PDB file of all heavy atoms in Angstrom:
ATOM      1  N   SER K  18      67.425 143.239 131.141  1.00 97.00           N
ATOM      2  CA  SER K  18      67.207 142.199 130.186  1.00 97.00           C
ATOM      3  C   SER K  18      68.411 141.276 130.089  1.00 97.00           C
ATOM      4  O   SER K  18      69.527 141.663 130.455  1.00 97.00           O
ATOM      5  CB  SER K  18      66.821 142.735 128.774  1.00 97.00           C
ATOM      6  OG  SER K  18      67.904 143.474 128.321  1.00 97.00           O
ATOM      7  N   LEU K  19      68.165 140.098 129.557  1.00 97.00           N
ATOM      8  CA  LEU K  19      69.246 139.102 129.526  1.00 97.00           C
ATOM      9  C   LEU K  19      69.244 138.421 128.131  1.00 97.00           C
ATOM     10  O   LEU K  19      68.198 138.101 127.594  1.00 97.00           O
ATOM     11  CB  LEU K  19      69.008 137.996 130.572  1.00 97.00           C
ATOM     12  CG  LEU K  19      69.903 136.800 130.573  1.00 97.00           C
ATOM     13  CD1 LEU K  19      71.311 137.151 130.920  1.00 97.00           C
ATOM     14  CD2 LEU K  19      69.368 135.700 131.412  1.00 97.00           C
ATOM     15  N   GLU K  20      70.439 138.199 127.601  1.00 98.00           N
ATOM     16  CA  GLU K  20      70.531 137.361 126.445  1.00 98.00           C
ATOM     17  C   GLU K  20      71.831 136.480 126.615  1.00 98.00           C
ATOM     18  O   GLU K  20      72.909 137.012 126.787  1.00 98.00           O
ATOM     19  CB  GLU K  20      70.723 138.144 125.164  1.00 98.00           C
ATOM     20  CG  GLU K  20      70.770 137.284 123.942  1.00 98.00           C
ATOM     21  CD  GLU K  20      70.546 137.992 122.582  1.00 98.00           C
ATOM     22  OE1 GLU K  20      70.889 139.204 122.510  1.00 98.00           O
ATOM     23  OE2 GLU K  20      70.081 137.386 121.621  1.00 98.00           O
ATOM     24  N   LEU K  21      71.629 135.185 126.532  1.00 98.00           N
ATOM     25  CA  LEU K  21      72.746 134.234 126.605  1.00 98.00           C
ATOM     26  C   LEU K  21      72.899 133.598 125.216  1.00 98.00           C
ATOM     27  O   LEU K  21      71.973 133.152 124.635  1.00 98.00           O
ATOM     28  CB  LEU K  21      72.457 133.083 127.621  1.00 98.00           C
ATOM     29  CG  LEU K  21      72.203 133.578 129.074  1.00 98.00           C
ATOM     30  CD1 LEU K  21      71.983 132.436 129.975  1.00 98.00           C
ATOM     31  CD2 LEU K  21      73.268 134.454 129.597  1.00 98.00           C
ATOM     32  N   ARG K  22      74.183 133.576 124.810  1.00 98.00           N
ATOM     33  CA  ARG K  22      74.425 133.132 123.392  1.00 98.00           C
ATOM     34  C   ARG K  22      74.719 131.697 123.330  1.00 98.00           C
ATOM     35  O   ARG K  22      75.345 131.062 124.242  1.00 98.00           O
ATOM     36  CB  ARG K  22      75.625 133.937 122.897  1.00 98.00           C
ATOM     37  CG  ARG K  22      75.302 135.427 122.779  1.00 98.00           C
ATOM     38  CD  ARG K  22      76.501 136.179 122.096  1.00 98.00           C
ATOM     39  NE  ARG K  22      77.657 136.146 122.999  1.00 98.00           N
ATOM     40  CZ  ARG K  22      78.930 136.454 122.542  1.00 98.00           C
ATOM     41  NH1 ARG K  22      79.095 136.726 121.307  1.00 98.00           N
ATOM     42  NH2 ARG K  22      79.908 136.513 123.400  1.00 98.00           N
ATOM     43  N   CYS K  23      74.311 131.133 122.187  1.00 97.00           N
ATOM     44  CA  CYS K  23      74.527 129.661 121.992  1.00 97.00           C
ATOM     45  C   CYS K  23      74.686 129.585 120.445  1.00 97.00           C
ATOM     46  O   CYS K  23      73.831 130.010 119.658  1.00 97.00           O
ATOM     47  CB  CYS K  23      73.403 128.809 122.390  1.00 97.00           C
ATOM     48  SG  CYS K  23      73.564 127.064 121.937  1.00 97.00           S
ATOM     49  N   ASN K  24      75.827 128.974 120.014  1.00 96.00           N
ATOM     50  CA  ASN K  24      76.042 128.671 118.585  1.00 96.00           C
ATOM     51  C   ASN K  24      76.278 127.234 118.408  1.00 96.00           C
ATOM     52  O   ASN K  24      76.974 126.618 119.230  1.00 96.00           O
ATOM     53  CB  ASN K  24      77.180 129.506 118.049  1.00 96.00           C
ATOM     54  CG  ASN K  24      76.897 130.976 117.996  1.00 96.00           C
ATOM     55  OD1 ASN K  24      77.283 131.676 118.944  1.00 96.00           O
ATOM     56  ND2 ASN K  24      76.299 131.441 116.965  1.00 96.00           N
ATOM     57  N   TYR K  25      75.793 126.686 117.339  1.00 94.00           N
ATOM     58  CA  TYR K  25      76.016 125.231 117.093  1.00 94.00           C
ATOM     59  C   TYR K  25      76.635 125.042 115.733  1.00 94.00           C
ATOM     60  O   TYR K  25      76.589 125.884 114.874  1.00 94.00           O
ATOM     61  CB  TYR K  25      74.671 124.458 117.207  1.00 94.00           C
ATOM     62  CG  TYR K  25      73.714 124.746 116.068  1.00 94.00           C
ATOM     63  CD1 TYR K  25      73.723 124.133 114.902  1.00 94.00           C
ATOM     64  CD2 TYR K  25      72.782 125.812 116.214  1.00 94.00           C
ATOM     65  CE1 TYR K  25      72.844 124.429 113.823  1.00 94.00           C
ATOM     66  CE2 TYR K  25      71.911 126.190 115.219  1.00 94.00           C
ATOM     67  CZ  TYR K  25      71.941 125.518 114.044  1.00 94.00           C
ATOM     68  OH  TYR K  25      71.129 125.807 113.066  1.00 94.00           O
ATOM     69  N   SER K  26      77.142 123.858 115.544  1.00 90.00           N
ATOM     70  CA  SER K  26      77.743 123.484 114.342  1.00 90.00           C
ATOM     71  C   SER K  26      77.163 122.123 113.907  1.00 90.00           C
ATOM     72  O   SER K  26      77.312 121.098 114.575  1.00 90.00           O
ATOM     73  CB  SER K  26      79.318 123.354 114.398  1.00 90.00           C
ATOM     74  OG  SER K  26      79.867 122.855 113.257  1.00 90.00           O
ATOM     75  N   TYR K  27      76.393 122.195 112.804  1.00 85.00           N
ATOM     76  CA  TYR K  27      75.823 120.994 112.279  1.00 85.00           C
ATOM     77  C   TYR K  27      75.246 121.285 110.918  1.00 85.00           C
ATOM     78  O   TYR K  27      74.794 122.411 110.625  1.00 85.00           O
ATOM     79  CB  TYR K  27      74.715 120.430 113.201  1.00 85.00           C
ATOM     80  CG  TYR K  27      74.083 119.082 112.686  1.00 85.00           C
ATOM     81  CD1 TYR K  27      74.886 117.988 112.596  1.00 85.00           C
ATOM     82  CD2 TYR K  27      72.769 119.076 112.276  1.00 85.00           C
ATOM     83  CE1 TYR K  27      74.364 116.788 112.114  1.00 85.00           C
ATOM     84  CE2 TYR K  27      72.245 117.896 111.809  1.00 85.00           C
ATOM     85  CZ  TYR K  27      73.020 116.753 111.729  1.00 85.00           C
ATOM     86  OH  TYR K  27      72.438 115.616 111.245  1.00 85.00           O
ATOM     87  N   GLY K  28      75.290 120.375 110.004  1.00 76.00           N
ATOM     88  CA  GLY K  28      74.926 120.612 108.582  1.00 76.00           C
ATOM     89  C   GLY K  28      73.407 120.884 108.388  1.00 76.00           C
ATOM     90  O   GLY K  28      73.081 121.520 107.429  1.00 76.00           O
ATOM     91  N   ALA K  29      72.615 120.340 109.272  1.00 79.00           N
ATOM     92  CA  ALA K  29      71.161 120.500 109.067  1.00 79.00           C
ATOM     93  C   ALA K  29      70.631 121.131 110.395  1.00 79.00           C
ATOM     94  O   ALA K  29      71.448 121.542 111.233  1.00 79.00           O
ATOM     95  CB  ALA K  29      70.518 119.114 108.796  1.00 79.00           C
ATOM     96  N   THR K  30      69.369 121.213 110.512  1.00 78.00           N
ATOM     97  CA  THR K  30      68.706 121.808 111.703  1.00 78.00           C
ATOM     98  C   THR K  30      68.730 120.732 112.785  1.00 78.00           C
ATOM     99  O   THR K  30      68.031 119.731 112.581  1.00 78.00           O
ATOM    100  CB  THR K  30      67.349 122.390 111.428  1.00 78.00           C
ATOM    101  OG1 THR K  30      67.436 123.371 110.444  1.00 78.00           O
ATOM    102  CG2 THR K  30      66.735 122.905 112.717  1.00 78.00           C
ATOM    103  N   PRO K  31      69.382 120.958 113.871  1.00 85.00           N
ATOM    104  CA  PRO K  31      69.353 119.967 114.945  1.00 85.00           C
ATOM    105  C   PRO K  31      68.218 120.259 115.883  1.00 85.00           C
ATOM    106  O   PRO K  31      67.466 121.239 115.769  1.00 85.00           O
ATOM    107  CB  PRO K  31      70.704 120.182 115.668  1.00 85.00           C
ATOM    108  CG  PRO K  31      70.875 121.723 115.507  1.00 85.00           C
ATOM    109  CD  PRO K  31      70.287 122.091 114.172  1.00 85.00           C
ATOM    110  N   TYR K  32      68.022 119.420 116.860  1.00 91.00           N
ATOM    111  CA  TYR K  32      67.192 119.713 117.994  1.00 91.00           C
ATOM    112  C   TYR K  32      67.935 120.554 118.982  1.00 91.00           C
ATOM    113  O   TYR K  32      69.119 120.343 119.171  1.00 91.00           O
ATOM    114  CB  TYR K  32      66.737 118.398 118.680  1.00 91.00           C
ATOM    115  CG  TYR K  32      65.936 117.402 117.759  1.00 91.00           C
ATOM    116  CD1 TYR K  32      66.550 116.418 117.086  1.00 91.00           C
ATOM    117  CD2 TYR K  32      64.582 117.532 117.750  1.00 91.00           C
ATOM    118  CE1 TYR K  32      65.855 115.563 116.270  1.00 91.00           C
ATOM    119  CE2 TYR K  32      63.831 116.685 116.967  1.00 91.00           C
ATOM    120  CZ  TYR K  32      64.441 115.717 116.228  1.00 91.00           C
ATOM    121  OH  TYR K  32      63.704 114.842 115.446  1.00 91.00           O
ATOM    122  N   LEU K  33      67.305 121.483 119.578  1.00 94.00           N
ATOM    123  CA  LEU K  33      67.962 122.549 120.397  1.00 94.00           C
ATOM    124  C   LEU K  33      67.336 122.677 121.764  1.00 94.00           C
ATOM    125  O   LEU K  33      66.069 122.648 121.817  1.00 94.00           O
ATOM    126  CB  LEU K  33      68.056 123.843 119.725  1.00 94.00           C
ATOM    127  CG  LEU K  33      68.876 123.870 118.453  1.00 94.00           C
ATOM    128  CD1 LEU K  33      68.483 125.089 117.551  1.00 94.00           C
ATOM    129  CD2 LEU K  33      70.348 123.919 118.744  1.00 94.00           C
ATOM    130  N   PHE K  34      68.110 122.677 122.809  1.00 95.00           N
ATOM    131  CA  PHE K  34      67.577 122.823 124.188  1.00 95.00           C
ATOM    132  C   PHE K  34      68.304 123.858 124.991  1.00 95.00           C
ATOM    133  O   PHE K  34      69.517 124.161 124.734  1.00 95.00           O
ATOM    134  CB  PHE K  34      67.800 121.418 124.896  1.00 95.00           C
ATOM    135  CG  PHE K  34      67.291 120.238 124.124  1.00 95.00           C
ATOM    136  CD1 PHE K  34      68.056 119.584 123.298  1.00 95.00           C
ATOM    137  CD2 PHE K  34      66.014 119.787 124.352  1.00 95.00           C
ATOM    138  CE1 PHE K  34      67.650 118.441 122.569  1.00 95.00           C
ATOM    139  CE2 PHE K  34      65.515 118.686 123.656  1.00 95.00           C
ATOM    140  CZ  PHE K  34      66.336 117.969 122.789  1.00 95.00           C
ATOM    141  N   TRP K  35      67.646 124.468 125.950  1.00 97.00           N
ATOM    142  CA  TRP K  35      68.275 125.104 126.972  1.00 97.00           C
ATOM    143  C   TRP K  35      67.844 124.575 128.357  1.00 97.00           C
ATOM    144  O   TRP K  35      66.699 124.254 128.657  1.00 97.00           O
ATOM    145  CB  TRP K  35      67.872 126.672 126.999  1.00 97.00           C
ATOM    146  CG  TRP K  35      68.632 127.557 126.051  1.00 97.00           C
ATOM    147  CD1 TRP K  35      68.294 127.971 124.768  1.00 97.00           C
ATOM    148  CD2 TRP K  35      69.913 128.094 126.340  1.00 97.00           C
ATOM    149  NE1 TRP K  35      69.280 128.725 124.265  1.00 97.00           N
ATOM    150  CE2 TRP K  35      70.252 128.823 125.234  1.00 97.00           C
ATOM    151  CE3 TRP K  35      70.823 128.014 127.464  1.00 97.00           C
ATOM    152  CZ2 TRP K  35      71.490 129.532 125.148  1.00 97.00           C
ATOM    153  CZ3 TRP K  35      71.982 128.727 127.337  1.00 97.00           C
ATOM    154  CH2 TRP K  35      72.318 129.449 126.199  1.00 97.00           C
ATOM    155  N   TYR K  36      68.913 124.429 129.205  1.00 97.00           N
ATOM    156  CA  TYR K  36      68.721 123.887 130.560  1.00 97.00           C
ATOM    157  C   TYR K  36      69.246 124.869 131.534  1.00 97.00           C
ATOM    158  O   TYR K  36      70.204 125.646 131.228  1.00 97.00           O
ATOM    159  CB  TYR K  36      69.451 122.584 130.731  1.00 97.00           C
ATOM    160  CG  TYR K  36      68.848 121.360 130.059  1.00 97.00           C
ATOM    161  CD1 TYR K  36      69.165 121.122 128.718  1.00 97.00           C
ATOM    162  CD2 TYR K  36      68.000 120.463 130.709  1.00 97.00           C
ATOM    163  CE1 TYR K  36      68.649 119.969 128.058  1.00 97.00           C
ATOM    164  CE2 TYR K  36      67.489 119.352 130.066  1.00 97.00           C
ATOM    165  CZ  TYR K  36      67.801 119.129 128.768  1.00 97.00           C
ATOM    166  OH  TYR K  36      67.286 118.044 128.113  1.00 97.00           O
ATOM    167  N   VAL K  37      68.757 124.834 132.734  1.00 97.00           N
ATOM    168  CA  VAL K  37      69.245 125.634 133.848  1.00 97.00           C
ATOM    169  C   VAL K  37      69.640 124.727 135.007  1.00 97.00           C
ATOM    170  O   VAL K  37      68.970 123.756 135.284  1.00 97.00           O
ATOM    171  CB  VAL K  37      68.249 126.761 134.293  1.00 97.00           C
ATOM    172  CG1 VAL K  37      66.998 126.093 134.789  1.00 97.00           C
ATOM    173  CG2 VAL K  37      68.868 127.677 135.341  1.00 97.00           C
ATOM    174  N   GLN K  38      70.755 125.107 135.684  1.00 96.00           N
ATOM    175  CA  GLN K  38      71.176 124.347 136.836  1.00 96.00           C
ATOM    176  C   GLN K  38      71.491 125.258 137.969  1.00 96.00           C
ATOM    177  O   GLN K  38      72.408 126.083 137.918  1.00 96.00           O
ATOM    178  CB  GLN K  38      72.426 123.548 136.499  1.00 96.00           C
ATOM    179  CG  GLN K  38      72.912 122.640 137.632  1.00 96.00           C
ATOM    180  CD  GLN K  38      74.157 121.794 137.245  1.00 96.00           C
ATOM    181  OE1 GLN K  38      74.998 122.289 136.498  1.00 96.00           O
ATOM    182  NE2 GLN K  38      74.287 120.611 137.812  1.00 96.00           N
ATOM    183  N   SER K  39      70.735 125.099 139.051  1.00 93.00           N
ATOM    184  CA  SER K  39      71.001 125.831 140.283  1.00 93.00           C
ATOM    185  C   SER K  39      72.041 125.122 141.089  1.00 93.00           C
ATOM    186  O   SER K  39      72.207 123.864 140.901  1.00 93.00           O
ATOM    187  CB  SER K  39      69.699 125.963 141.136  1.00 93.00           C
ATOM    188  OG  SER K  39      68.739 126.672 140.379  1.00 93.00           O
ATOM    189  N   PRO K  40      72.733 125.772 141.930  1.00 87.00           N
ATOM    190  CA  PRO K  40      73.879 125.182 142.667  1.00 87.00           C
ATOM    191  C   PRO K  40      73.446 123.880 143.390  1.00 87.00           C
ATOM    192  O   PRO K  40      72.381 123.859 144.080  1.00 87.00           O
ATOM    193  CB  PRO K  40      74.294 126.248 143.698  1.00 87.00           C
ATOM    194  CG  PRO K  40      73.897 127.524 143.038  1.00 87.00           C
ATOM    195  CD  PRO K  40      72.653 127.196 142.289  1.00 87.00           C
ATOM    196  N   GLY K  41      74.203 122.811 143.215  1.00 83.00           N
ATOM    197  CA  GLY K  41      73.943 121.543 143.877  1.00 83.00           C
ATOM    198  C   GLY K  41      72.734 120.806 143.371  1.00 83.00           C
ATOM    199  O   GLY K  41      72.323 119.814 143.948  1.00 83.00           O
ATOM    200  N   GLN K  42      72.224 121.174 142.203  1.00 88.00           N
ATOM    201  CA  GLN K  42      71.035 120.534 141.626  1.00 88.00           C
ATOM    202  C   GLN K  42      71.358 119.943 140.302  1.00 88.00           C
ATOM    203  O   GLN K  42      72.367 120.251 139.714  1.00 88.00           O
ATOM    204  CB  GLN K  42      69.879 121.589 141.494  1.00 88.00           C
ATOM    205  CG  GLN K  42      69.481 122.192 142.864  1.00 88.00           C
ATOM    206  CD  GLN K  42      68.863 121.097 143.801  1.00 88.00           C
ATOM    207  OE1 GLN K  42      68.057 120.273 143.359  1.00 88.00           O
ATOM    208  NE2 GLN K  42      69.286 121.067 145.027  1.00 88.00           N
TER     209      GLN K  42
END
Side-chain angles (χ1 to χ4, degrees):
Chain K
S18 63
L19 171 70
E20 182 168 29
L21 302 182
R22 297 184 291 164
C23 173
N24 293 96
Y25 68 90
S26 174
Y27 183 62
T30 300
Y32 296 92
L33 296 160
F34 309 88
W35 274 100
Y36 288 84
V37 61
Q38 184 179 31
S39 298
Q42 298 297 314

